[in-house]
């Protein structure tokens, strides 16, 4: 299979009514040649499909789904609008059917319960029940037939069987009551049960749809942040154009109170921008020349012009939306077990219903047939695969949405489920515990080396280096108006430093460890000053050549204001905190003491971080790694749970399972608490869904009849079935109010 042609795409699925539907759609998609993976989420009505574009097309996926009575929206460019239109149309139709089914069912119930002996009672109920069942409830029968044609069954099958059997039996008794009268029996009818079951289940579906819509409110808010038009400067003339017309390099104008339409960099002007919906920070951020601005954030008082750098799906907001959508569509490990149960649930329930009928016919006495029919129908009505199917995905959707609102982007459901198990966290120092904006505070040159040519060589070397600290040195020399020397060769030694050659002389810049391994002489004054700076928690870069040390550079990186409090919170949660850094031991010690970390390792290479995490895992620890740089990507991949700082490198964010948009360590305890609360909600949902079915089905089958002659009415069973799904979704929605 050509990996270059394998893509991952999300397609909205239409007309699913229960968890068994999602299992059916998923199995059909997975069976297609070219589909490597498919995950169908009943809660958000989406299919996340990974497929080979050389073997299968979106149209082929759609035809496969249509063959079992569902549909896919494959128009990616207009997907959200089409999905919203389809949802609104479905909801409106469901509301219409529910209202009329309820209106017509009410007099049937009144007649059936209080006026059974009135003239033509059965005929009146039949006339009222017929449109309820076969017109307002027709979707249950249509979907059941479609499922049956493909050898499958779902909740619609249960509803169609139960109400259909009750209606046909009642119709027979209305038309031919003498059949029972000749046997000395009363010709019972159950029109009220059949009609009320349709009305109750329709009402339950209506409430369920409304509740499910609320679970995705976070993603709707994010999508709503995307402006539809943009004001641009074209040939020095201000024009307004659709957002789709913007290309990279265009000059965009933003006025006070307007949303920023694309990602870019400020050219001129200044203002404060509300970035709370992306970063979670409520305080507006000052924007001036060369500062980055992001799609969907809101300009405050000032106005400015900026150059468009990222458009369409490349913008930060689009990436966040895509990540949240894929995460909400992913499945937690526990969901795989639930899917297997849902896949066999309906056939098992039908089997129980048949068995119930047989047992009552054999041991039911004089009223055997009536009781057999009533209990078998009630079993079909009360069984609810929806509650099982909604238990996990609704909690995951709300949890991930809650995280997105707090600036915590969770890449998949599995990482959300793992979070509450974490008992060890490994933190990188630079950009994670510290601000990640190091600045040169001091430079001390050896007496023999204080000349302009050597400054130019050091400037040129650091300009080629990819290490975060090199940027601080480069900025320093830029402010000094230093020019770069022409160097002949350049080599970067990962985690150690850089080597360059100029005019046949080799120059080195890097850590004290690298310097001590290959230097001939060290100026005592430099060594003393380096020690003093390290005691002040400054990082020292050595600059030397084959003849000896030339200079030392002191770089300081301020500890974030929230780091110490975050570490304390993690300790209070019973989590061991470790700091790994490539910096020297003295600096690492001072930083660790400032934030309250007891375990730290200095002068670690990128590979050392991954090895350390592996050692913790071998001791039974569930490890989370938090980092922000390219050099953290190996360790992030090794950890059980990987967390990237949003202001870090793209590769770190790509590898990580969780991203903190505003790079604040205090959100890590919140993320772990969110995981714990989400998992608890899933467990509660699954418990009640299983208990409901385990208790409800036997009662519906009549197990209490030998004890107290109690038989559950199908109408009550229908109401219980409807409310079970609503209760599961409502419990998940409580996560929105959770305090983290």
């Amino acid at each position: 299979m050509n990996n270059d042609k394998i893509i991952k795409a999300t397609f909205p699925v239409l007309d699913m009514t229960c968890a068994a539907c999602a299992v059916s759609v998923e199995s059909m998609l997975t069976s297609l040649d070219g589909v490597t993976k498919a995950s169908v989420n009943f809660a958000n009505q989406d299919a996340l499909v990974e497929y080979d574009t050389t073997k299968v097309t979106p149209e082929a996926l759609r035809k496969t789904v249509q063959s079992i009575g569902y549909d896919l929206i494959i128009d990616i460019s207009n997907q959200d609008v089409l999905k919203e239109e389809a949802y609104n149309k479905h909801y409106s139709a469901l509301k219409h059917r529910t209202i009329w089914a309820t209106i017509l069912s009410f007099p049937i119930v009144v007649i059936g319960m209080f006026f059974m002996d009135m003239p033509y009672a059965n005929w009146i109920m039949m006339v009222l029940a017929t449109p309820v069942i076969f017109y307002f409830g027709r979707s249950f029968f249509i979907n059941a037939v479609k499922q049956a044609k493909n050898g499958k069954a779902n909740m619609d099958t249960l509803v169609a069987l139960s109400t259909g059997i009750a209606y046909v039996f009642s119709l027979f008794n209305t038309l031919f009551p003498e059949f029972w009268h000749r046997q000395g029996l009363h010709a019972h009818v159950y029109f009220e049960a059949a009609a009320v079951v349709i009305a109750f289940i329709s009402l339950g579906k209506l409430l369920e749809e409304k509740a499910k819509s609320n679970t995705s409110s976070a993603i709707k808010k994010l999508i709503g942040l995307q402006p539809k038009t943009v004001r641009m400067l074209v040939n020095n003339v201000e024009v307004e154009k659709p957002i789709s017309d913007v290309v990279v390099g265009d000059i965009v104008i933003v006025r006070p109170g307007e949303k920023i339409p694309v990602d870019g960099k400020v050219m001129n002007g200044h203002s404060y921008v509300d970035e709370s919906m992306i970063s979670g920070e409520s305080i507006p951020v000052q924007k001036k020349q060369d500062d980055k601005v992001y799609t969907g954030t809101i300009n405050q008082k000032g106005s400015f012009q900026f150059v468009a750098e990222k458009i369409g799906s490349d913008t930060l907001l689009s990436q966040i939306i895509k990540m949240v959508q894929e995460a909400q569509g992913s499945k937690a490990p526990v969901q795989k077990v639930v899917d297997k149960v849902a896949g066999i649930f309906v056939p098992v329930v039908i089997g129980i219903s048949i068995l119930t009928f047989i047992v009552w016919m054999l041991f039911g006495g004089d009223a055997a047939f009536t009781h057999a029919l009533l209990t078998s129908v009630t079993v079909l009505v009360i069984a609810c695969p929806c509650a099982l199917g909604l238990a996990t995905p609704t909690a995951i959707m709300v949890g991930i949405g809650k995280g997105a609102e707090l600036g915590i982007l969770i890449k998949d459901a599995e990482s959300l489920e793992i979070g509450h198990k974490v008992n060890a966290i490994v933190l990188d120092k630079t950009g994670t515990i510290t601000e990640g904006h190091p600045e040169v505070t001091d430079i001390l040159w050896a007496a023999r080396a204080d000349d302009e040519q050597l400054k130019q060589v050091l400037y040129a070397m650091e300009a080629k280096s990819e290490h975060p600290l090199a940027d601080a040195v480069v900025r320093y020399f830029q402010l000094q108006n230093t020019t770069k020397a022409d160097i002949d060769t350049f080599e970067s030694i990962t985690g150690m430093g850089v080597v360059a050659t100029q005019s046949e002389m080799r120059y080195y810049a890097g850590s004290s460890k690298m310097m001590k391994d290959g230097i001939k002489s060290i100026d005592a004054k430099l060594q003393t000053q380096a020690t003093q700076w390290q005691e002040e928690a400054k990082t020292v870069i050595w600059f030397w050549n084959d003849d000896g040390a030339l200079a030392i550079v002191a770089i300081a990186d301020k500890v974030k204001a929230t780091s110490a409090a975050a570490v304390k919170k993690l300790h209070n949660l019973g989590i061991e905190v470790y700091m790994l850094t490539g910096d020297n031991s003295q600096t690492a010690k001072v930083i660790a003491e400032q934030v309250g970390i007891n375990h730290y390792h200095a002068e670690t290479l990128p590979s050392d971080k991954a090895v350390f995490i592996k050692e913790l895992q071998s001791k039974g620890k569930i490890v989370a790694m938090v980092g922000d740089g390219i050099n953290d990507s190996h360790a992030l991949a090794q950890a059980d749970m990987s967390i990237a700082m949003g202001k870090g490198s793209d590769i770190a964010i790509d590898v990580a399972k969780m991203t903190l948009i505003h790079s604040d360590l205090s959100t890590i305890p919140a993320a772990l608490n969110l995981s714990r609360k989400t998992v608890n909600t899933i467990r509660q949902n699954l418990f009640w869904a299983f208990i409901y079915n385990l208790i409800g089905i036997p009662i519906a089958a009549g197990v209490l009849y030998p004890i107290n002659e109690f038989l559950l009415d199908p109408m009550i069973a229908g109401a219980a079935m409807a409310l079970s799904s609503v209760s599961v979704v409502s419990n998940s929605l409580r996560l929105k109010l959770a305090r983290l």
Side-chain angles (χ1 to χ4, degrees), residues 491-534:
E491 179 186 0
S492 177
I493 303 173
T494 304
M496 299 289 282
V498 294
V499 182
T501 305
Q502 196 224 28
S503 301
E504 299 184 355
M505 173 64 77
R506 288 174 66 82
Y507 293 92
Y508 308 83
S511 65
S512 58
K513 180 179 179 181
M514 177 183 175
M515 183 267 300
K516 290 174 182 176
D517 289 341
I519 198 168
K520 292 180 180 178
S521 63
I522 303 175
D523 189 312
K525 182 181 178 182
L526 294 182
Q527 185 63 69
T528 301
Q529 186 61 67
T531 302
Q532 181 181 332
W533 283 344
Q534 287 171 352

Side-chain angles (χ1 to χ4, degrees), residues 408 423 491 542 544 663 669 706:
I408 304 167
N423 51 23
E491 179 186 0
W542 287 80
W544 71 100
S663 301

Side-chain angles (χ1 to χ4, degrees), residues 11 62 147 197 309 372 557 626 640 691:
F11 301 103
R62 185 184 186 189
Q147 291 289 313
V197 164
E309 293 186 329
D557 186 10
V626 187
D640 298 290
I691 286 296

Side-chain angles (χ1 to χ4, degrees), residues 422 568-575 668-670 672-673 676:
V422 168
K568 185 177 180 180
K569 284 182 181 179
L570 291 170
H571 283 152
N572 291 339
L573 291 173
I575 297 172
I668 295 178
L672 299 183
N673 274 328
R676 178 176 56 81

Side-chain angles (χ1 to χ4, degrees), residues 180-191:
W180 299 104
H181 294 164
R182 285 196 295 267
Q183 301 176 48
L185 299 173
H186 183 69
H188 292 285
V189 295
Y190 299 102
F191 288 121

Side-chain angles (χ1 to χ4, degrees), residues 18-68:
C18 71
C21 299
V23 174
S24 297
V25 174
E26 187 173 302
S27 65
M28 291 296 287
L29 289 172
T30 307
S31 67
L32 278 176
D33 182 31
V35 175
T36 56
K37 189 178 181 182
S39 175
V40 179
N41 189 319
F42 172 53
N44 65 5
Q45 303 281 299
D46 281 341
L48 181 60
V49 187
E50 193 174 293
Y51 64 98
D52 188 340
T53 55
T54 62
K55 292 187 176 181
V56 67
T57 64
E59 187 59 41
L61 298 175
R62 185 184 186 189
K63 287 181 179 178
T64 299
V65 172
Q66 286 176 332
S67 70
I68 54 171

Side-chain angles (χ1 to χ4, degrees), residues 256-273:
E258 292 181 342
K259 290 180 181 177
I260 293 169
V262 294
D263 291 4
K265 185 166 66 175
V266 177
M267 282 180 58
N268 55 63
H270 66 276
S271 182
Y272 285 85
V273 175

